[in-house]
Amino acid sequence: QQEREACGLELTSATWCEWSRASAAAALPGAVEFTHWVHERGGFVVIVTNRELREEAWTRAVLRRLGVAYDGLMLREGESNKAERWRRSRRLVAGLPGAANPVPVMWVGDQVSDLPVFDARGAIVGAMSQEPPDGREPVLPEGVRFVLVPNPVYGGWTKNPAN
């Protein structure tokens, strides 16, 4: 996106796809090591992304090139709301060898909508939002941590920078 803006060009779905196909993405500092650290301690890593299903081969290629240790990859098949993919990722991990009753303990994202909202029973009911709360009191199950990685380029905050 920075390269395109420097050339006076806009980022479109088509140009994003070209960039994705090039498998040129770089990892955030410490991200690859973190995935290995999780595995060394018996944990699991599932990547839930808004990259489209048609980008799966390119996405896996870049993850392989970077050396990311992951157990599942959930790509977008339609809407960008990640709630259903989060639910599927929990079922995926539950079916992995050595995953007896896995409990998510950390959610990492580069915008607030990458983080789930839970109900009182611990079920995922949707994604966090920059919009004013809809009356639901967010619940954070015990032991769960949210990590928001800074992203100054895009995200829900651009619609409401004061929030």
Side-chain angles (χ1 to χ4, degrees):
Q1 185 168 349
Q2 288 174 327
E3 290 172 2
R4 296 197 65 77
E5 286 177 5
C7 296
L9 304 169
E10 65 181 298
L11 181 66
T12 65
S13 186
T15 59
W16 165 264
C17 200
E18 290 172 19
W19 178 81
S20 180
R21 184 181 299 120
S23 297
L28 290 173
V32 173
E33 296 83 0
F34 178 73
T35 63
H36 290 275
W37 182 87
V38 169
H39 275 181
E40 289 164 6
R41 283 151 184 78
F44 301 94
V45 175
V46 178
I47 299 169
V48 179
T49 177
N50 267 338
R51 286 186 176 209
E52 295 179 21
L53 191 58
R54 67 183 171 154
E55 300 174 75
E56 182 173 10
W58 313 322
T59 303
R60 289 187 186 280
V62 77
L63 292 171
R64 216 175 8 261
R65 178 179 58 76
L66 294 171
V68 175
Y70 67 99
D71 303 286
L73 177 63
M74 301 286 170
L75 296 115
R76 181 166 49 105
E77 298 180 53
E79 67 177 69
S80 65
N81 183 323
K82 294 180 178 174
E84 183 52 37
R85 283 177 278 154
W86 290 327
R87 291 182 199 106
R88 283 195 345 251
S89 71
R90 291 176 85 172
R91 291 190 298 270
L92 177 141
V93 171
L96 293 174
N101 298 322
V103 176
V105 294
M106 185 177 289
W107 301 81
V108 181
D110 68 356
Q111 56 181 326
V112 73
S113 60
D114 289 335
L115 306 173
V117 172
F118 300 91
D119 66 14
R121 297 182 330 268
I124 296 169
V125 294
M128 289 188 187
S129 170
Q130 288 287 353
E131 300 302 316
D134 62 3
R136 284 186 307 206
E137 204 47 49
V139 177
L140 187 58
E142 190 169 329
V144 173
R145 302 289 180 260
F146 290 150
V147 177
L148 196 58
V149 179
N151 180 347
V153 180
Y154 68 86
W157 64 268
T158 60
K159 296 176 189 135
N160 186 0
N163 188 359

PDB file of all heavy atoms in Angstrom, residues 115-130:
ATOM      1  N   LEU A 115     -10.719  -9.131  17.067  1.00  0.00           N
ATOM      2  CA  LEU A 115     -10.854  -9.694  18.406  1.00  0.00           C
ATOM      3  C   LEU A 115     -12.321 -10.011  18.686  1.00  0.00           C
ATOM      4  O   LEU A 115     -13.204  -9.221  18.371  1.00  0.00           O
ATOM      5  CB  LEU A 115     -10.307  -8.712  19.439  1.00  0.00           C
ATOM      6  CG  LEU A 115      -8.868  -8.242  19.186  1.00  0.00           C
ATOM      7  CD1 LEU A 115      -8.485  -7.155  20.166  1.00  0.00           C
ATOM      8  CD2 LEU A 115      -7.887  -9.396  19.225  1.00  0.00           C
ATOM      9  N   PRO A 116     -12.588 -11.184  19.278  1.00  0.00           N
ATOM     10  CA  PRO A 116     -13.974 -11.610  19.486  1.00  0.00           C
ATOM     11  C   PRO A 116     -14.630 -11.010  20.727  1.00  0.00           C
ATOM     12  O   PRO A 116     -13.963 -10.580  21.658  1.00  0.00           O
ATOM     13  CB  PRO A 116     -13.847 -13.126  19.641  1.00  0.00           C
ATOM     14  CG  PRO A 116     -12.492 -13.310  20.243  1.00  0.00           C
ATOM     15  CD  PRO A 116     -11.633 -12.226  19.654  1.00  0.00           C
ATOM     16  N   VAL A 117     -15.950 -11.032  20.686  1.00  0.00           N
ATOM     17  CA  VAL A 117     -16.774 -10.704  21.850  1.00  0.00           C
ATOM     18  C   VAL A 117     -17.422 -12.019  22.271  1.00  0.00           C
ATOM     19  O   VAL A 117     -17.924 -12.772  21.428  1.00  0.00           O
ATOM     20  CB  VAL A 117     -17.860  -9.659  21.493  1.00  0.00           C
ATOM     21  CG1 VAL A 117     -18.823  -9.466  22.650  1.00  0.00           C
ATOM     22  CG2 VAL A 117     -17.216  -8.340  21.092  1.00  0.00           C
ATOM     23  N   PHE A 118     -17.407 -12.300  23.558  1.00  0.00           N
ATOM     24  CA  PHE A 118     -17.952 -13.538  24.099  1.00  0.00           C
ATOM     25  C   PHE A 118     -19.221 -13.248  24.892  1.00  0.00           C
ATOM     26  O   PHE A 118     -19.376 -12.166  25.440  1.00  0.00           O
ATOM     27  CB  PHE A 118     -16.943 -14.202  25.047  1.00  0.00           C
ATOM     28  CG  PHE A 118     -15.636 -14.549  24.402  1.00  0.00           C
ATOM     29  CD1 PHE A 118     -14.575 -13.657  24.413  1.00  0.00           C
ATOM     30  CD2 PHE A 118     -15.465 -15.776  23.781  1.00  0.00           C
ATOM     31  CE1 PHE A 118     -13.364 -13.972  23.827  1.00  0.00           C
ATOM     32  CE2 PHE A 118     -14.253 -16.100  23.190  1.00  0.00           C
ATOM     33  CZ  PHE A 118     -13.198 -15.195  23.216  1.00  0.00           C
ATOM     34  N   ASP A 119     -20.079 -14.260  25.004  1.00  0.00           N
ATOM     35  CA  ASP A 119     -21.214 -14.130  25.915  1.00  0.00           C
ATOM     36  C   ASP A 119     -20.800 -14.695  27.272  1.00  0.00           C
ATOM     37  O   ASP A 119     -19.655 -15.129  27.450  1.00  0.00           O
ATOM     38  CB  ASP A 119     -22.478 -14.801  25.353  1.00  0.00           C
ATOM     39  CG  ASP A 119     -22.368 -16.320  25.240  1.00  0.00           C
ATOM     40  OD1 ASP A 119     -21.440 -16.936  25.814  1.00  0.00           O
ATOM     41  OD2 ASP A 119     -23.245 -16.905  24.573  1.00  0.00           O
ATOM     42  N   ALA A 120     -21.698 -14.699  28.212  1.00  0.00           N
ATOM     43  CA  ALA A 120     -21.381 -15.143  29.580  1.00  0.00           C
ATOM     44  C   ALA A 120     -20.965 -16.612  29.631  1.00  0.00           C
ATOM     45  O   ALA A 120     -20.269 -17.023  30.554  1.00  0.00           O
ATOM     46  CB  ALA A 120     -22.576 -14.897  30.490  1.00  0.00           C
ATOM     47  N   ARG A 121     -21.372 -17.419  28.644  1.00  0.00           N
ATOM     48  CA  ARG A 121     -20.993 -18.843  28.607  1.00  0.00           C
ATOM     49  C   ARG A 121     -19.655 -19.071  27.911  1.00  0.00           C
ATOM     50  O   ARG A 121     -19.186 -20.191  27.814  1.00  0.00           O
ATOM     51  CB  ARG A 121     -22.072 -19.649  27.888  1.00  0.00           C
ATOM     52  CG  ARG A 121     -23.422 -19.649  28.568  1.00  0.00           C
ATOM     53  CD  ARG A 121     -24.464 -20.509  27.818  1.00  0.00           C
ATOM     54  NE  ARG A 121     -24.269 -20.584  26.385  1.00  0.00           N
ATOM     55  CZ  ARG A 121     -24.836 -19.766  25.479  1.00  0.00           C
ATOM     56  NH1 ARG A 121     -25.633 -18.798  25.874  1.00  0.00           N
ATOM     57  NH2 ARG A 121     -24.607 -19.909  24.188  1.00  0.00           N
ATOM     58  N   GLY A 122     -19.063 -17.999  27.362  1.00  0.00           N
ATOM     59  CA  GLY A 122     -17.788 -18.129  26.666  1.00  0.00           C
ATOM     60  C   GLY A 122     -17.935 -18.399  25.176  1.00  0.00           C
ATOM     61  O   GLY A 122     -16.948 -18.645  24.495  1.00  0.00           O
ATOM     62  N   ALA A 123     -19.162 -18.336  24.650  1.00  0.00           N
ATOM     63  CA  ALA A 123     -19.385 -18.537  23.220  1.00  0.00           C
ATOM     64  C   ALA A 123     -19.097 -17.241  22.471  1.00  0.00           C
ATOM     65  O   ALA A 123     -19.376 -16.151  22.963  1.00  0.00           O
ATOM     66  CB  ALA A 123     -20.826 -18.976  22.963  1.00  0.00           C
ATOM     67  N   ILE A 124     -18.528 -17.376  21.288  1.00  0.00           N
ATOM     68  CA  ILE A 124     -18.242 -16.206  20.466  1.00  0.00           C
ATOM     69  C   ILE A 124     -19.547 -15.695  19.871  1.00  0.00           C
ATOM     70  O   ILE A 124     -20.269 -16.439  19.213  1.00  0.00           O
ATOM     71  CB  ILE A 124     -17.248 -16.576  19.338  1.00  0.00           C
ATOM     72  CG1 ILE A 124     -15.908 -17.002  19.943  1.00  0.00           C
ATOM     73  CG2 ILE A 124     -17.063 -15.397  18.380  1.00  0.00           C
ATOM     74  CD1 ILE A 124     -14.955 -17.632  18.947  1.00  0.00           C
ATOM     75  N   VAL A 125     -19.836 -14.424  20.098  1.00  0.00           N
ATOM     76  CA  VAL A 125     -21.079 -13.846  19.574  1.00  0.00           C
ATOM     77  C   VAL A 125     -20.823 -12.830  18.468  1.00  0.00           C
ATOM     78  O   VAL A 125     -21.768 -12.378  17.829  1.00  0.00           O
ATOM     79  CB  VAL A 125     -21.925 -13.202  20.698  1.00  0.00           C
ATOM     80  CG1 VAL A 125     -22.414 -14.261  21.673  1.00  0.00           C
ATOM     81  CG2 VAL A 125     -21.154 -12.115  21.417  1.00  0.00           C
ATOM     82  N   GLY A 126     -19.588 -12.475  18.241  1.00  0.00           N
ATOM     83  CA  GLY A 126     -19.268 -11.519  17.189  1.00  0.00           C
ATOM     84  C   GLY A 126     -17.881 -10.955  17.392  1.00  0.00           C
ATOM     85  O   GLY A 126     -17.080 -11.495  18.144  1.00  0.00           O
ATOM     86  N   ALA A 127     -17.635  -9.854  16.698  1.00  0.00           N
ATOM     87  CA  ALA A 127     -16.331  -9.198  16.767  1.00  0.00           C
ATOM     88  C   ALA A 127     -16.461  -7.860  17.487  1.00  0.00           C
ATOM     89  O   ALA A 127     -17.513  -7.225  17.470  1.00  0.00           O
ATOM     90  CB  ALA A 127     -15.792  -8.975  15.364  1.00  0.00           C
ATOM     91  N   MET A 128     -15.368  -7.443  18.103  1.00  0.00           N
ATOM     92  CA  MET A 128     -15.339  -6.112  18.695  1.00  0.00           C
ATOM     93  C   MET A 128     -15.487  -5.096  17.574  1.00  0.00           C
ATOM     94  O   MET A 128     -15.293  -5.395  16.407  1.00  0.00           O
ATOM     95  CB  MET A 128     -14.027  -5.888  19.440  1.00  0.00           C
ATOM     96  CG  MET A 128     -13.924  -6.676  20.707  1.00  0.00           C
ATOM     97  SD  MET A 128     -12.459  -6.142  21.610  1.00  0.00           S
ATOM     98  CE  MET A 128     -12.462  -7.349  22.909  1.00  0.00           C
ATOM     99  N   SER A 129     -15.814  -3.870  17.956  1.00  0.00           N
ATOM    100  CA  SER A 129     -16.076  -2.840  16.961  1.00  0.00           C
ATOM    101  C   SER A 129     -15.623  -1.483  17.471  1.00  0.00           C
ATOM    102  O   SER A 129     -15.555  -1.258  18.676  1.00  0.00           O
ATOM    103  CB  SER A 129     -17.576  -2.805  16.662  1.00  0.00           C
ATOM    104  OG  SER A 129     -17.906  -1.697  15.880  1.00  0.00           O
ATOM    105  N   GLN A 130     -15.361  -0.584  16.544  1.00  0.00           N
ATOM    106  CA  GLN A 130     -15.073   0.806  16.889  1.00  0.00           C
ATOM    107  C   GLN A 130     -16.364   1.568  17.136  1.00  0.00           C
ATOM    108  O   GLN A 130     -16.356   2.673  17.644  1.00  0.00           O
ATOM    109  CB  GLN A 130     -14.306   1.496  15.753  1.00  0.00           C
ATOM    110  CG  GLN A 130     -12.888   1.039  15.624  1.00  0.00           C
ATOM    111  CD  GLN A 130     -11.984   1.572  16.730  1.00  0.00           C
ATOM    112  OE1 GLN A 130     -12.383   2.396  17.554  1.00  0.00           O
ATOM    113  NE2 GLN A 130     -10.773   1.091  16.774  1.00  0.00           N
TER     114      GLN A 130
END
